[in-house]
Amino acid sequence: MLAENKLTVLKDLVKQYSRDEIIWTKGYLAGILAQTEITPTLEIPTTVVIKPTIVYGTETGNSKKLASQLQALLKKNKIQSKAVDAFQYPIEKLENEAFLIVIMSTQGEGDPPQNAIKFFDNLSNSSVNLSKTQFAVLGLGDSSYPLFCRAGEAIDEQLKRLGAQPAVAFQKADVDYVQTAELWFNELLAAIQHSGKTVIPQKKNIESTATAKKTYTGIISHKVVLNDMGSNKTTYHIEIATEEELSYEPGDAIGFYPKNNKDEIAEIILFFDENCEKERLFDKNIRGLSEKSLDTFSKLFGIEITEEKADLLDILKKYTKPEVVSFDEVLTLLHPIAPRLYSISSALEAHEGEVHVTVNLNAFQVDGIIKTGLCSQFLADLEKDTKIEFYIHKNQNFKLPEDDKDIILIGPGTGIAPFRSFLAHRDATGAEGKNWLFFGEQHFVSDFYYQTEIQEWLSTGVLTQLDTAFSRDQKEKIYVQDRIRQKAGEFNEWLENGASIYICGQKNPMSSDVEQTIIEVISTERNISIEEAKQVLDDLETTGKYQKDVY
């Protein structure tokens, strides 16, 4: 826009111009304007010929899900890649990889997940030259645990040892990994697109978006055994009340730091100087020591410990501890007790100021001696009004869809826990989506957890459909997957109408068997191949419509 005085001068000049002079002036001014403009330089896209291989190791499916998301991002940017389960990856192909991406979760004492143990061992024992290979490693874990993302970190170290070149820096991702992974993916994409050029990995990791875990203090306000007389199991429903403002959603978990049993510690102390500080053992992991930990004790004791897993007390009883080995030396080999997570079985909308948990007392035999799980026994021993500390573990990968969407819940045993939360939430909020529950246990009479509430939800319409499988109530055992197979047509119809599937409970064999059954149902009902049905389920998982919380 011209200033008033300049506009007046221009008008006076134009009045004096002929038509041809005005046209010439217009062209002249356009030429001057063109000279002052910056002509953008069009970057001619180059085809990326590199084809990355994505290897994932997972216990709960998160690494697999991220591998699929990364593959989709690369495809969108016209980069071909392949994703493969670590268990199926042929290690002999490693030296032929131009660009290797590893997404690895961490289990137990810094170990890789079960499906990646072979890959990890082969990599550790390899001497192949990877100087022509670029790589990137994303580690998934939980910062509450002592050896956070150690498995991913170890793979990063092994690849460097073999001469592979890091394209981007090793990245740790906490439980709330979504944003961290997205940022890392974008950085990785840029590195792949510039592959062949000099890429300097970032020295500083992308900051994790996980927030610090708040520790709450509550009291045991109610505790009851859910099983009736004659049951083979002992399953507790425990309610914890707190005056602090709670923040959790259906699908989240509660974390506890259990303490060691004082009687067990007293027995351990008998093998040492009675004046040693036994209090230092209460927070140390003395149960189910891994093969890796037992190897360190073998070296310390100067003996060969043959067990793959054992408690410290059992080792002290079975093997002779050299007199020179001190309490402090043993203590240095023990890791802190890792927190234990349990699915929350309450909903804030229905249970204000409370958090509920469903705990099966884990009992098993070792050499004819009955033992119990550390945390399940710790919680079972707590009396009413006892104080307890806990934290909330946010689980963004096990969440309800919108209120008007249908859901299929498959939760045998204590796998019912989060679905009690789901249904209580939907009941309290008036959600309109339909809900179908599959529940299973051993006996109807003694093991139908939350029966009264479930039947109430069924009668009020909150629960649209209920199918139960009590495996020991008849000659031939019946499981939840058998009920799914019996309702194959309706099950597939729900899926085709947009329902989401949720599975909670033991990974093996339950969730594996259920997943295989769902694939078979999709294949049969849609008249497609098993491979095509697997792809349907994979697509549901990628879009968040198939979620698992298995252990």
Side-chain angles (χ1 to χ4, degrees):
M1 181 148 183
L2 288 175
E4 188 65 32
N5 60 331
K6 290 184 179 180
L7 182 60
T8 302
V9 171
L10 180 61
K11 286 179 178 179
D12 289 338
L13 285 171
V14 171
K15 284 178 184 177
Q16 302 172 34
Y17 287 180
S18 66
R19 183 175 180 276
D20 289 338
E21 287 174 330
I22 291 174
I23 293 172
W24 181 88
T25 303
K26 178 184 176 184
Y28 175 75
L29 292 173
I32 293 175
L33 182 63
Q35 291 175 12
T36 63
E37 287 183 342
I38 299 172
T39 304
T41 303
L42 294 176
E43 184 178 340
I44 301 172
T46 56
T47 304
V48 179
V49 294
I50 198 163
K51 296 179 181 179
T53 296
I54 307 166
V55 177
Y56 60 86
T58 186
E59 194 72 28
T60 60
N62 291 337
S63 294
K64 180 182 178 182
K65 185 185 298 183
L66 284 176
S68 298
Q69 291 171 359
L70 176 56
Q71 198 172 19
L73 174 66
L74 295 176
K75 184 177 180 181
K76 184 179 178 182
N77 285 274
K78 305 200 181 332
I79 300 171
Q80 293 183 23
S81 65
K82 61 179 178 180
V84 58
D85 188 314
F87 181 74
Q88 298 174 323
Y89 181 78
I91 200 71
E92 60 271 12
K93 289 190 176 181
L94 195 60
E95 62 182 326
N96 297 323
E97 299 289 0
F99 206 112
L100 180 69
I101 302 165
V102 180
I103 303 176
M104 188 65 57
S105 66
T106 295
Q107 309 299 316
E109 296 180 5
D111 300 316
Q114 193 67 34
N115 75 313
I117 291 175
K118 182 181 175 183
F119 172 81
F120 184 84
D121 290 344
N122 287 338
L123 184 64
S124 301
N125 295 322
S126 178
S127 57
V128 68
N129 182 357
L130 298 183
S131 58
K132 294 181 180 179
T133 302
Q134 285 187 288
F135 78 95
V137 181
L138 174 65
L140 301 186
D142 183 344
S143 58
S144 300
Y145 287 74
L147 297 170
F148 176 48
C149 291
R150 179 56 193 150
E153 196 171 38
I155 287 172
D156 183 77
E157 292 168 358
Q158 290 297 333
L159 290 171
K160 286 177 181 174
R161 176 184 66 81
L162 296 171
Q165 303 301 309
V168 295
F170 169 65
Q171 179 65 48
K172 294 181 180 182
D174 212 326
V175 290
D176 191 6
Y177 60 76
V178 176
Q179 189 175 344
T180 302
E182 285 178 358
L183 292 171
W184 189 78
F185 284 175
N186 289 330
E187 184 187 350
L188 180 59
L189 174 62
I192 295 171
Q193 289 172 329
H194 292 81
S195 183
K197 302 176 184 178
T198 303
V199 179
I200 302 173
Q202 290 185 357
K203 292 183 179 178
K204 185 178 180 181
N205 281 17
I206 296 164
E207 188 177 348
S208 174
T209 55
T211 54
K213 296 177 179 65
K214 171 180 169 56
T215 300
Y216 296 89
T217 301
I219 62 163
I220 306 296
S221 58
H222 182 64
K223 186 172 78 169
V224 63
V225 175
L226 295 173
N227 310 89
D228 214 329
M229 296 289 290
S231 175
N232 297 319
K233 299 186 177 184
T234 305
T235 306
Y236 292 91
H237 169 76
I238 301 173
E239 298 180 5
I240 301 170
T242 179
E243 294 182 359
E244 300 178 65
E245 186 175 349
L246 285 167
S247 176
Y248 65 84
E249 297 174 350
D252 288 344
I254 184 171
F256 298 106
Y257 285 94
K259 304 289 185 185
N260 286 318
N261 181 282
K262 61 182 181 180
D263 294 334
E264 187 173 0
I265 288 178
E267 281 195 75
I268 290 172
I269 293 300
L270 293 176
F271 292 88
F272 300 94
D273 185 340
E274 62 180 14
N275 295 319
C276 60
E277 300 172 78
K278 63 182 181 182
E279 295 78 14
R280 295 162 67 192
L281 268 179
F282 277 99
D283 298 319
K284 291 290 187 180
N285 181 40
I286 58 175
R287 294 277 193 93
L289 301 179
S290 68
E291 190 173 4
K292 190 188 299 182
S293 289
L294 293 175
D295 284 344
T296 63
F297 277 96
S298 291
K299 292 173 185 175
L300 179 63
F301 288 6
I303 56 173
E304 182 183 357
I305 296 175
T306 57
E307 285 81 359
E308 292 184 359
K309 182 173 280 193
D311 295 348
L312 175 60
L313 182 57
D314 293 336
I315 295 300
L316 292 172
K317 285 180 176 179
K318 182 175 179 179
Y319 299 94
T320 303
K321 178 187 74 68
E323 288 293 329
V324 293
V325 174
S326 68
F327 177 74
D328 284 344
E329 286 177 299
V330 168
L331 206 64
T332 57
L333 299 184
L334 300 172
H335 296 295
I337 291 176
R340 278 16 179 215
L341 295 175
Y342 291 88
S343 297
I344 292 174
S345 53
S346 54
L348 278 175
E349 295 79 5
H351 311 100
E352 188 178 357
E354 297 177 349
V355 58
H356 301 174
V357 63
T358 310
V359 181
N360 176 57
L361 181 59
N362 183 22
F364 52 94
Q365 280 196 13
V366 177
D367 296 330
I369 301 171
I370 296 178
K371 298 192 173 216
T372 55
L374 173 63
C375 194
S376 61
Q377 186 67 67
F378 170 75
L379 294 171
D381 289 341
L382 294 176
E383 297 180 358
K384 190 174 179 295
D385 297 327
T386 303
K387 279 189 177 182
I388 186 171
E389 290 188 341
F390 62 93
Y391 69 90
I392 301 299
H393 172 96
K394 296 290 185 180
N395 186 357
Q396 300 302 327
N397 302 295
F398 202 70
K399 289 294 176 216
L400 279 166
E402 293 83 357
D403 286 350
D404 61 344
K405 302 298 183 184
D406 300 341
I407 56 176
I408 299 173
L409 312 174
I410 306 165
T414 53
I416 188 66
F419 301 145
R420 179 179 183 259
S421 174
F422 279 25
L423 293 169
H425 171 86
R426 285 201 149 190
D427 184 19
T429 59
E432 296 177 357
K434 294 190 296 181
N435 310 298
W436 186 354
L437 174 65
F438 288 87
F439 172 74
E441 248 299 354
Q442 291 189 353
H443 299 286
F444 171 83
V445 172
S446 58
D447 304 315
F448 194 166
Y449 308 151
Y450 303 115
Q451 180 183 0
T452 303
E453 286 178 312
I454 289 172
Q455 289 178 332
E456 177 68 19
W457 284 326
L458 196 60
S459 66
T460 59
V462 172
L463 195 53
T464 312
Q465 193 159 325
L466 170 67
D467 282 279
T468 58
F470 295 99
S471 60
R472 308 298 198 274
D473 280 351
Q474 59 284 311
K475 263 188 178 181
E476 190 176 332
K477 292 179 181 177
I478 296 176
Y479 300 105
V480 287
Q481 58 265 31
D482 298 310
R483 298 304 189 202
I484 292 171
R485 198 175 287 110
Q486 290 169 2
K487 298 289 181 73
E490 192 173 359
F491 192 95
N492 180 60
E493 186 179 343
W494 274 55
L495 294 186
E496 289 187 320
N497 290 332
S500 296
I501 311 172
Y502 296 84
I503 299 177
C504 184
Q506 289 195 345
K507 181 180 181 182
N508 290 314
M510 185 279 293
S511 74
S512 300
D513 291 345
V514 168
E515 182 168 300
Q516 185 58 38
T517 300
I518 293 172
I519 290 169
E520 290 169 5
V521 164
I522 293 171
S523 173
T524 303
E525 294 300 315
R526 301 187 188 185
N527 195 25
I528 59 177
S529 69
I530 289 292
E531 285 305 313
E532 289 172 315
K534 282 181 181 177
Q535 188 57 54
V536 169
L537 198 59
D538 283 345
D539 292 343
L540 288 174
E541 187 169 10
T542 301
T543 56
K545 299 187 78 172
Y546 174 41
Q547 300 181 30
K548 295 178 287 186
D549 184 7
V550 296
Y551 37 83

